Amino acid sequence: MTNPEERIVDIDVAKEMRESFLEYSYSVIYSRALPDARDGLKPVQRRIVYQMGEMGLRPDKGHVKSARVTGEVMGKLHPHGDGAIYDALVRMAQPFSLRIPLIDGHGNFGSLDDGPAAARYTEARLAPAALLLNESLDEDVVDFQPNYDAQLSEPEVLPAAFPNLLVNGAAGIAVGMATNMAPHNLREVISALTLLIDNPDADLSEVMQVLPGPDFPTGGVALIAEGLLEAYSQGKGTIKTRAKVAVETVGPRRTGLVVTELPYLVGPERVVDKIRDAVNSKKLEGIHNVVDLTDRENGLRLVIELKTGFDPDSVLEALYRFTPLEETFGINNIALVAGRPQQLGVIALLQVYLSHRMDVVRRRSTNRLDRRNARLHLLEGLQIAVLNIDEIIEVIRTSDTADGARTRLIQIFDLSELQAEHILELRLRRLTRFSVIELETEADQLRKEIEALQALLSSEQRIKQQIRAELEEVSDKYGDARRTQLIDASGMVVVKRAPVATELEDEPTFVCVTPSGKLFRTTTPPVDTNDARLRVISTSTRSDIGLVTSDGVAHAVHVSDLPVTTAGLTPQLPTPESIIGVSNTRVVGVISWREAATYALGTSQGTVKRFSGPLPEKQEASLIALKEMDEVIGVAVSGDDSELVFITNEANLLAFPASSVRPQGLPAGGMAGMNIPSGRAIYFGVASQDSVVVSVSNSSMALGGTDAGSVKLTQLTAYPRKGRGAMGVRCHKFLKGEDQLYFASLAKAQPTLLDLDEKPIVGPVVDQRRDGSGTAASDYVDSAF
């Protein structure tokens, strides 16, 4: 007999499995694994950023424990475990994972080889860029939805004042699909957005002129070809990424490959393990040792020492083949659009974001317009009350109840219910004459703002221009230089913007370097007084110049990419560092890339080297294999009949003929130029017939800005010549309390001295004594021409 309390339902197992699987798939796709194409965030990331904003964890506030953030998000918004929440928070704080981190982490948030500390040991707060994601949330710019238990609400999407999805990329595995989106440079993405704002019909080739390819947080080199074009057009493709490697001398008679940047998400320990495995299995030959010198101060530095007799290029190609020094990055642009997963090309991604920002700006402007209209409505009521204050008081006094007073005010003075209620709550101190003036001023200001908002909302083009202005402001504030170098299959560097060189006449031009090191070009040689202080290179618009950095690398820059000026110096000139995006180094010289000239360079340890151009057709060329702790301090054109000059911080000067230094190939490490038992060289250059030695001394213990020191000018002819490798002669006698030269240079006759602000300094007369002391300087010396 069947128990009447039992409830047995016959179901179709196939149907139940199908429906359950679909529900699970939808949950994973929509609620966990895929980012929204508008703000570029997965639900857990969005909830973290939103809740941290609600907790007030702004960049100007203190850090709080990550466990507290995890608990708040889990308890209020995210119906999953704390592990998933903390993992997402950690990734948003890692500078090697996101191009622009959204979380400012304090503590051990892991590395490429190791995981983070537990949530109870780390602290977090929002990074400045995350404020852009939450911007204007209180102005009804996005829709809110109930949280998992319908007790609170959360935003369906964040306003996202910067294109987070394209800038930071995304990775996730759902059911039946996955996404893997590459990060990009913020400035380049915003340039592509402004291009589409100005020209909505722009095609992919035009977009790729300003957005040429991915820009990974860890730098490296990306080899782009048809795979990138396919990914940008269809949303799916592959590119190869490589480490940035230089050939250097790493020991006595020992050449090595020095890795300073790795492919995206590849750690140095993994590379070392793979190299050792390949060497042990006889797949790699020619490797003597691998040393990881990575530290916080100098960043990544992986030294691969080579055995004698092995070609570095051949070993490097084998390393690319058998180790993670070369990786394939598969691009699969799948994101949620209107709640449905779609595979999107780069133009579609840009258009989705622009459409989102159009909606945000429109809703924000409508909200601000409503608020200002409401405030103006109250002010107009207050102005009526002030003009009729005696009658208002009489009406209120003679009314039996507040409701009666409100009704009579509405009837007698033709007020709205809101205005009448506001008048009833008005404090008498607001009725002073000064308050009346304030009311009138505020009302006038509100009317102007209302008019501007109405004009903005009435024109879609004005809304687009408003978006453009906001994006350009974000680009200026948060953008930085490109980190990843892009090269094509042939090894040629990809132009990062529209190739204008082919559209220009190959005409003579002059590249000028200002005293502070900024660059510009001009079609006529500088002749006025100010321009006489410039360093000038004669070249042409289709040529390249090389910016030589202190690490001994020349960076190619196309002349046509430099700003043009025809009337002397102009504001906003770029610095060499900003053009090539170098870090932890400085530009020490500018040379012609394609000229068949001979150059000389000197280092702080006294090494000298001469090499001949033109330089190879690459974006970068290593000019010298530097020793440890050494750096290049100067480079100049040097013929066999010229003289080379070193000056040290201990006031020794050595001049010797350039003919004693034989030209060498680029991989060579140079030869002994000056014997420096202690101290270091601070100047290296090529002398002319009328060269004047400028030396400035002070105390090495002096606080900044307190001791400008003593300046001395002496004809170079006053110093005896020595052979290469000598210690030189004394060029400046230190006064009491002085123990160093902080500045030294060669200048032409009657030189002009400049301070740190490029203002002329009164200099002394030329001292004929080669070992004399200087005279007091009016300010710190920065340049001499």
Side-chain angles (χ1 to χ4, degrees), residues 385-436:
V386 170
L387 293 175
N388 303 276
I389 186 60
D390 295 332
E391 293 85 346
I392 293 287
I393 294 176
E394 182 65 24
V395 169
I396 296 173
R397 178 189 294 175
T398 57
S399 299
D400 295 331
T401 63
D403 292 339
R406 185 188 307 109
T407 303
R408 292 179 62 193
L409 287 175
I410 293 173
Q411 293 173 349
I412 296 174
F413 298 101
D414 193 22
L415 300 174
S416 69
E417 186 173 348
L418 285 175
Q419 289 174 326
E421 183 66 30
H422 193 65
I423 291 171
L424 287 174
E425 296 176 355
L426 182 68
R427 294 185 178 182
L428 292 178
R429 67 182 181 182
R430 293 294 308 275
L431 303 179
T432 62
R433 183 175 180 275
F434 182 71
S435 294
V436 173

Short mmCIF file of all heavy atoms in Angstrom, two decimals, residues 385-436:
data_model
loop_
_atom_site.label_atom_id
_atom_site.label_comp_id
_atom_site.label_asym_id
_atom_site.label_seq_id
_atom_site.Cartn_x
_atom_site.Cartn_y
_atom_site.Cartn_z
N ALA A 385 9.39 84.96 -0.44
CA ALA A 385 9.23 85.11 1.00
C ALA A 385 10.01 86.31 1.53
O ALA A 385 9.52 87.05 2.39
CB ALA A 385 9.70 83.84 1.70
N VAL A 386 11.20 86.55 1.01
CA VAL A 386 12.00 87.68 1.48
C VAL A 386 11.35 89.00 1.09
O VAL A 386 11.32 89.96 1.87
CB VAL A 386 13.43 87.57 0.91
CG1 VAL A 386 14.21 88.85 1.17
CG2 VAL A 386 14.15 86.38 1.53
N LEU A 387 10.81 89.06 -0.13
CA LEU A 387 10.16 90.29 -0.59
C LEU A 387 8.86 90.57 0.16
O LEU A 387 8.42 91.72 0.25
CB LEU A 387 9.89 90.20 -2.09
CG LEU A 387 11.14 90.17 -3.00
CD1 LEU A 387 10.74 89.96 -4.45
CD2 LEU A 387 11.95 91.46 -2.85
N ASN A 388 8.22 89.54 0.69
CA ASN A 388 6.93 89.70 1.39
C ASN A 388 7.04 89.16 2.81
O ASN A 388 6.12 88.49 3.30
CB ASN A 388 5.83 88.96 0.62
CG ASN A 388 5.70 89.43 -0.81
OD1 ASN A 388 5.05 90.42 -1.11
ND2 ASN A 388 6.36 88.71 -1.71
N ILE A 389 8.12 89.46 3.49
CA ILE A 389 8.39 88.82 4.76
C ILE A 389 7.35 89.17 5.82
O ILE A 389 6.93 88.32 6.60
CB ILE A 389 9.81 89.19 5.25
CG1 ILE A 389 10.14 88.41 6.52
CG2 ILE A 389 9.95 90.68 5.42
CD1 ILE A 389 10.11 86.93 6.34
N ASP A 390 6.89 90.43 5.83
CA ASP A 390 5.90 90.82 6.84
C ASP A 390 4.59 90.08 6.64
O ASP A 390 3.99 89.59 7.61
CB ASP A 390 5.66 92.33 6.78
CG ASP A 390 6.90 93.11 7.18
OD1 ASP A 390 7.71 92.57 7.96
OD2 ASP A 390 7.08 94.25 6.70
N GLU A 391 4.14 89.97 5.39
CA GLU A 391 2.91 89.26 5.11
C GLU A 391 3.07 87.76 5.43
O GLU A 391 2.13 87.12 5.94
CB GLU A 391 2.50 89.43 3.65
CG GLU A 391 2.09 90.86 3.28
CD GLU A 391 3.28 91.73 2.91
OE1 GLU A 391 4.44 91.30 3.20
OE2 GLU A 391 3.08 92.82 2.36
N ILE A 392 4.25 87.20 5.11
CA ILE A 392 4.50 85.80 5.40
C ILE A 392 4.39 85.53 6.91
O ILE A 392 3.73 84.57 7.35
CB ILE A 392 5.89 85.38 4.88
CG1 ILE A 392 5.94 85.42 3.34
CG2 ILE A 392 6.28 83.99 5.41
CD1 ILE A 392 5.21 84.33 2.66
N ILE A 393 5.04 86.38 7.69
CA ILE A 393 4.99 86.19 9.15
C ILE A 393 3.58 86.33 9.68
O ILE A 393 3.14 85.57 10.56
CB ILE A 393 5.94 87.20 9.82
CG1 ILE A 393 7.40 86.89 9.44
CG2 ILE A 393 5.76 87.18 11.32
CD1 ILE A 393 8.41 87.87 9.96
N GLU A 394 2.82 87.28 9.11
CA GLU A 394 1.45 87.48 9.56
C GLU A 394 0.58 86.26 9.25
O GLU A 394 -0.24 85.83 10.07
CB GLU A 394 0.87 88.73 8.89
CG GLU A 394 -0.55 89.07 9.32
CD GLU A 394 -0.64 89.45 10.80
OE1 GLU A 394 0.40 89.89 11.36
OE2 GLU A 394 -1.72 89.29 11.38
N VAL A 395 0.75 85.71 8.05
CA VAL A 395 -0.01 84.51 7.69
C VAL A 395 0.31 83.36 8.63
O VAL A 395 -0.58 82.65 9.10
CB VAL A 395 0.27 84.11 6.22
CG1 VAL A 395 -0.29 82.74 5.92
CG2 VAL A 395 -0.30 85.14 5.27
N ILE A 396 1.59 83.16 8.91
CA ILE A 396 1.97 82.06 9.79
C ILE A 396 1.45 82.28 11.20
O ILE A 396 0.95 81.37 11.87
CB ILE A 396 3.51 81.90 9.80
CG1 ILE A 396 4.02 81.51 8.39
CG2 ILE A 396 3.96 80.85 10.81
CD1 ILE A 396 5.52 81.49 8.25
N ARG A 397 1.54 83.55 11.69
CA ARG A 397 1.09 83.84 13.05
C ARG A 397 -0.40 83.63 13.22
O ARG A 397 -0.85 83.16 14.27
CB ARG A 397 1.47 85.29 13.39
CG ARG A 397 1.00 85.72 14.79
CD ARG A 397 1.19 87.19 15.00
NE ARG A 397 2.60 87.55 15.01
CZ ARG A 397 3.03 88.83 15.08
NH1 ARG A 397 2.16 89.81 15.10
NH2 ARG A 397 4.30 89.09 15.13
N THR A 398 -1.18 83.96 12.20
CA THR A 398 -2.63 83.87 12.33
C THR A 398 -3.19 82.51 11.96
O THR A 398 -4.40 82.32 11.91
CB THR A 398 -3.29 84.95 11.44
OG1 THR A 398 -2.84 84.76 10.08
CG2 THR A 398 -2.93 86.35 11.91
N SER A 399 -2.31 81.57 11.63
CA SER A 399 -2.77 80.22 11.27
C SER A 399 -2.79 79.35 12.52
O SER A 399 -1.90 79.46 13.39
CB SER A 399 -1.87 79.60 10.21
OG SER A 399 -1.90 80.39 9.03
N ASP A 400 -3.78 78.47 12.60
CA ASP A 400 -3.91 77.61 13.78
C ASP A 400 -2.93 76.45 13.76
O ASP A 400 -2.42 76.02 14.80
CB ASP A 400 -5.35 77.07 13.86
CG ASP A 400 -6.36 78.20 14.09
OD1 ASP A 400 -5.96 79.21 14.71
OD2 ASP A 400 -7.50 78.06 13.64
N THR A 401 -2.68 75.91 12.58
CA THR A 401 -1.79 74.74 12.46
C THR A 401 -0.79 74.97 11.33
O THR A 401 -0.96 75.86 10.50
CB THR A 401 -2.59 73.46 12.17
OG1 THR A 401 -3.23 73.62 10.90
CG2 THR A 401 -3.61 73.21 13.26
N ALA A 402 0.23 74.11 11.32
CA ALA A 402 1.23 74.20 10.25
C ALA A 402 0.60 73.88 8.90
O ALA A 402 0.92 74.49 7.89
CB ALA A 402 2.40 73.26 10.54
N ASP A 403 -0.31 72.89 8.89
CA ASP A 403 -0.98 72.55 7.63
C ASP A 403 -1.80 73.73 7.14
O ASP A 403 -1.86 74.01 5.93
CB ASP A 403 -1.86 71.32 7.82
CG ASP A 403 -1.05 70.06 8.07
OD1 ASP A 403 0.15 70.06 7.70
OD2 ASP A 403 -1.60 69.09 8.62
N GLY A 404 -2.45 74.42 8.06
CA GLY A 404 -3.23 75.57 7.66
C GLY A 404 -2.36 76.70 7.13
O GLY A 404 -2.71 77.37 6.15
N ALA A 405 -1.19 76.90 7.79
CA ALA A 405 -0.27 77.93 7.31
C ALA A 405 0.25 77.58 5.91
O ALA A 405 0.35 78.45 5.04
CB ALA A 405 0.89 78.07 8.28
N ARG A 406 0.55 76.29 5.68
CA ARG A 406 1.03 75.87 4.36
C ARG A 406 -0.04 76.12 3.30
O ARG A 406 0.24 76.64 2.21
CB ARG A 406 1.40 74.39 4.39
CG ARG A 406 2.02 73.89 3.10
CD ARG A 406 2.20 72.40 3.07
NE ARG A 406 2.93 71.92 4.23
CZ ARG A 406 2.39 71.22 5.21
NH1 ARG A 406 1.07 70.92 5.17
NH2 ARG A 406 3.10 70.81 6.25
N THR A 407 -1.27 75.77 3.59
CA THR A 407 -2.34 75.96 2.62
C THR A 407 -2.55 77.44 2.30
O THR A 407 -2.72 77.82 1.13
CB THR A 407 -3.64 75.36 3.16
OG1 THR A 407 -3.42 73.97 3.46
CG2 THR A 407 -4.76 75.49 2.16
N ARG A 408 -2.53 78.29 3.34
CA ARG A 408 -2.76 79.72 3.10
C ARG A 408 -1.59 80.34 2.31
O ARG A 408 -1.81 81.20 1.47
CB ARG A 408 -2.93 80.43 4.45
CG ARG A 408 -4.21 80.03 5.18
CD ARG A 408 -4.31 80.75 6.50
NE ARG A 408 -4.38 82.20 6.30
CZ ARG A 408 -4.22 83.12 7.26
NH1 ARG A 408 -3.98 82.70 8.52
NH2 ARG A 408 -4.32 84.41 7.01
N LEU A 409 -0.34 79.91 2.60
CA LEU A 409 0.81 80.42 1.83
C LEU A 409 0.68 80.06 0.36
O LEU A 409 0.99 80.88 -0.53
CB LEU A 409 2.11 79.85 2.40
CG LEU A 409 2.59 80.40 3.75
CD1 LEU A 409 3.83 79.64 4.22
CD2 LEU A 409 2.90 81.89 3.66
N ILE A 410 0.26 78.83 0.07
CA ILE A 410 0.09 78.41 -1.32
C ILE A 410 -0.96 79.25 -2.01
O ILE A 410 -0.79 79.68 -3.17
CB ILE A 410 -0.28 76.91 -1.36
CG1 ILE A 410 0.90 76.06 -0.85
CG2 ILE A 410 -0.67 76.49 -2.77
CD1 ILE A 410 0.57 74.58 -0.70
N GLN A 411 -2.06 79.52 -1.32
CA GLN A 411 -3.17 80.27 -1.93
C GLN A 411 -2.83 81.76 -2.10
O GLN A 411 -3.11 82.35 -3.14
CB GLN A 411 -4.43 80.12 -1.06
CG GLN A 411 -4.99 78.70 -1.04
CD GLN A 411 -6.12 78.55 -0.05
OE1 GLN A 411 -6.37 79.44 0.77
NE2 GLN A 411 -6.81 77.41 -0.12
N ILE A 412 -2.22 82.36 -1.10
CA ILE A 412 -2.02 83.81 -1.13
C ILE A 412 -0.85 84.19 -2.04
O ILE A 412 -0.94 85.14 -2.83
CB ILE A 412 -1.77 84.33 0.30
CG1 ILE A 412 -3.02 84.11 1.16
CG2 ILE A 412 -1.38 85.81 0.29
CD1 ILE A 412 -2.82 84.45 2.62
N PHE A 413 0.27 83.45 -1.98
CA PHE A 413 1.48 83.85 -2.72
C PHE A 413 1.75 82.97 -3.95
O PHE A 413 2.80 83.08 -4.57
CB PHE A 413 2.69 83.78 -1.79
CG PHE A 413 2.60 84.72 -0.62
CD1 PHE A 413 2.23 84.25 0.63
CD2 PHE A 413 2.83 86.09 -0.78
CE1 PHE A 413 2.13 85.11 1.70
CE2 PHE A 413 2.73 86.95 0.29
CZ PHE A 413 2.37 86.47 1.54
N ASP A 414 0.77 82.11 -4.30
CA ASP A 414 0.90 81.27 -5.50
C ASP A 414 2.19 80.44 -5.44
O ASP A 414 2.98 80.43 -6.38
CB ASP A 414 0.85 82.13 -6.77
CG ASP A 414 0.66 81.27 -8.01
OD1 ASP A 414 0.16 80.12 -7.86
OD2 ASP A 414 1.04 81.71 -9.11
N LEU A 415 2.41 79.76 -4.33
CA LEU A 415 3.58 78.91 -4.13
C LEU A 415 3.21 77.45 -4.35
O LEU A 415 2.04 77.07 -4.23
CB LEU A 415 4.14 79.08 -2.72
CG LEU A 415 4.61 80.49 -2.32
CD1 LEU A 415 4.98 80.50 -0.85
CD2 LEU A 415 5.80 80.94 -3.17
N SER A 416 4.21 76.66 -4.62
CA SER A 416 4.00 75.21 -4.66
C SER A 416 4.07 74.66 -3.25
O SER A 416 4.50 75.34 -2.31
CB SER A 416 5.05 74.55 -5.53
OG SER A 416 6.32 74.61 -4.90
N GLU A 417 3.68 73.41 -3.10
CA GLU A 417 3.70 72.80 -1.78
C GLU A 417 5.13 72.70 -1.25
O GLU A 417 5.38 72.91 -0.06
CB GLU A 417 3.05 71.43 -1.83
CG GLU A 417 2.89 70.77 -0.47
CD GLU A 417 2.08 69.50 -0.51
OE1 GLU A 417 1.45 69.25 -1.56
OE2 GLU A 417 2.08 68.76 0.49
N LEU A 418 6.10 72.38 -2.13
CA LEU A 418 7.50 72.29 -1.72
C LEU A 418 8.03 73.64 -1.27
O LEU A 418 8.74 73.75 -0.27
CB LEU A 418 8.35 71.75 -2.87
CG LEU A 418 8.24 70.25 -3.17
CD1 LEU A 418 9.05 69.91 -4.42
CD2 LEU A 418 8.72 69.43 -1.99
N GLN A 419 7.68 74.70 -2.03
CA GLN A 419 8.14 76.04 -1.65
C GLN A 419 7.55 76.46 -0.31
O GLN A 419 8.25 77.02 0.54
CB GLN A 419 7.75 77.04 -2.74
CG GLN A 419 8.56 76.88 -4.03
CD GLN A 419 8.05 77.79 -5.12
OE1 GLN A 419 6.84 78.06 -5.22
NE2 GLN A 419 8.95 78.26 -5.97
N ALA A 420 6.25 76.19 -0.11
CA ALA A 420 5.60 76.57 1.15
C ALA A 420 6.21 75.82 2.32
O ALA A 420 6.46 76.39 3.39
CB ALA A 420 4.11 76.29 1.05
N GLU A 421 6.47 74.54 2.15
CA GLU A 421 7.07 73.75 3.22
C GLU A 421 8.47 74.25 3.55
O GLU A 421 8.87 74.33 4.72
CB GLU A 421 7.13 72.27 2.80
CG GLU A 421 7.66 71.32 3.86
CD GLU A 421 6.72 71.23 5.06
OE1 GLU A 421 5.49 71.39 4.86
OE2 GLU A 421 7.22 71.02 6.18
N HIS A 422 9.23 74.61 2.52
CA HIS A 422 10.58 75.12 2.73
C HIS A 422 10.56 76.45 3.47
O HIS A 422 11.43 76.71 4.32
CB HIS A 422 11.28 75.28 1.37
CG HIS A 422 12.76 75.50 1.48
ND1 HIS A 422 13.62 74.55 1.98
CD2 HIS A 422 13.54 76.57 1.17
CE1 HIS A 422 14.87 75.01 1.96
NE2 HIS A 422 14.84 76.25 1.46
N ILE A 423 9.60 77.31 3.14
CA ILE A 423 9.49 78.60 3.84
C ILE A 423 9.15 78.38 5.30
O ILE A 423 9.68 79.06 6.18
CB ILE A 423 8.44 79.48 3.14
CG1 ILE A 423 8.96 79.91 1.76
CG2 ILE A 423 8.10 80.71 3.98
CD1 ILE A 423 7.94 80.60 0.90
N LEU A 424 8.28 77.43 5.59
CA LEU A 424 7.91 77.16 6.97
C LEU A 424 9.11 76.68 7.79
O LEU A 424 9.18 76.92 9.00
CB LEU A 424 6.79 76.12 7.03
CG LEU A 424 5.40 76.60 6.59
CD1 LEU A 424 4.43 75.43 6.55
CD2 LEU A 424 4.89 77.69 7.51
N GLU A 425 10.02 75.98 7.15
CA GLU A 425 11.20 75.48 7.85
C GLU A 425 12.35 76.47 7.85
O GLU A 425 13.43 76.19 8.38
CB GLU A 425 11.66 74.16 7.21
CG GLU A 425 10.64 73.04 7.36
CD GLU A 425 11.09 71.78 6.64
OE1 GLU A 425 12.14 71.84 5.96
OE2 GLU A 425 10.40 70.76 6.73
N LEU A 426 12.15 77.65 7.25
CA LEU A 426 13.22 78.64 7.10
C LEU A 426 13.58 79.25 8.44
O LEU A 426 12.71 79.60 9.23
CB LEU A 426 12.75 79.74 6.13
CG LEU A 426 13.76 80.85 5.81
CD1 LEU A 426 14.92 80.27 5.00
CD2 LEU A 426 13.09 81.97 5.03
N ARG A 427 14.89 79.38 8.71
CA ARG A 427 15.35 80.05 9.91
C ARG A 427 15.36 81.56 9.69
O ARG A 427 15.69 82.04 8.60
CB ARG A 427 16.76 79.59 10.29
CG ARG A 427 16.81 78.12 10.69
CD ARG A 427 18.19 77.75 11.15
NE ARG A 427 18.26 76.35 11.58
CZ ARG A 427 19.34 75.77 12.08
NH1 ARG A 427 20.46 76.47 12.22
NH2 ARG A 427 19.31 74.51 12.45
N LEU A 428 15.01 82.31 10.71
CA LEU A 428 14.90 83.77 10.57
C LEU A 428 16.23 84.41 10.20
O LEU A 428 16.25 85.46 9.56
CB LEU A 428 14.35 84.36 11.87
CG LEU A 428 12.89 84.00 12.19
CD1 LEU A 428 12.50 84.61 13.52
CD2 LEU A 428 11.95 84.45 11.09
N ARG A 429 17.35 83.80 10.60
CA ARG A 429 18.64 84.41 10.29
C ARG A 429 18.94 84.44 8.80
O ARG A 429 19.80 85.17 8.35
CB ARG A 429 19.75 83.69 11.03
CG ARG A 429 20.00 82.26 10.58
CD ARG A 429 21.10 81.63 11.41
NE ARG A 429 21.38 80.28 10.97
CZ ARG A 429 22.27 79.49 11.56
NH1 ARG A 429 22.94 79.93 12.60
NH2 ARG A 429 22.46 78.26 11.11
N ARG A 430 18.24 83.62 8.03
CA ARG A 430 18.41 83.64 6.58
C ARG A 430 17.80 84.86 5.94
O ARG A 430 17.95 85.09 4.74
CB ARG A 430 17.78 82.38 5.95
CG ARG A 430 18.48 81.08 6.30
CD ARG A 430 19.88 81.03 5.72
NE ARG A 430 19.91 81.32 4.30
CZ ARG A 430 19.69 80.40 3.35
NH1 ARG A 430 19.44 79.16 3.70
NH2 ARG A 430 19.74 80.74 2.08
N LEU A 431 17.07 85.68 6.71
CA LEU A 431 16.36 86.82 6.13
C LEU A 431 17.18 88.09 6.17
O LEU A 431 16.67 89.19 5.93
CB LEU A 431 15.04 87.05 6.89
CG LEU A 431 14.10 85.84 6.90
CD1 LEU A 431 12.84 86.16 7.68
CD2 LEU A 431 13.76 85.42 5.49
N THR A 432 18.50 88.00 6.45
CA THR A 432 19.34 89.19 6.43
C THR A 432 19.58 89.64 5.00
O THR A 432 19.41 88.87 4.04
CB THR A 432 20.69 88.88 7.09
OG1 THR A 432 21.35 87.86 6.33
CG2 THR A 432 20.49 88.42 8.52
N ARG A 433 20.02 90.88 4.86
CA ARG A 433 20.26 91.42 3.52
C ARG A 433 21.34 90.65 2.80
O ARG A 433 21.27 90.40 1.60
CB ARG A 433 20.65 92.89 3.63
CG ARG A 433 20.84 93.59 2.29
CD ARG A 433 21.11 95.08 2.46
NE ARG A 433 21.29 95.72 1.17
CZ ARG A 433 22.43 95.77 0.52
NH1 ARG A 433 23.51 95.21 1.03
NH2 ARG A 433 22.53 96.38 -0.66
N PHE A 434 22.39 90.21 3.54
CA PHE A 434 23.47 89.44 2.92
C PHE A 434 22.96 88.11 2.37
O PHE A 434 23.35 87.68 1.30
CB PHE A 434 24.58 89.21 3.94
CG PHE A 434 25.76 88.48 3.39
CD1 PHE A 434 26.62 89.09 2.48
CD2 PHE A 434 26.03 87.17 3.74
CE1 PHE A 434 27.72 88.42 1.96
CE2 PHE A 434 27.12 86.48 3.23
CZ PHE A 434 27.96 87.13 2.34
N SER A 435 22.05 87.46 3.10
CA SER A 435 21.48 86.21 2.64
C SER A 435 20.65 86.41 1.39
O SER A 435 20.60 85.54 0.51
CB SER A 435 20.63 85.58 3.74
OG SER A 435 21.45 85.20 4.83
N VAL A 436 19.98 87.54 1.29
CA VAL A 436 19.21 87.83 0.08
C VAL A 436 20.12 87.93 -1.13
O VAL A 436 19.83 87.40 -2.21
CB VAL A 436 18.40 89.13 0.28
CG1 VAL A 436 17.73 89.53 -1.03
CG2 VAL A 436 17.37 88.95 1.37
#
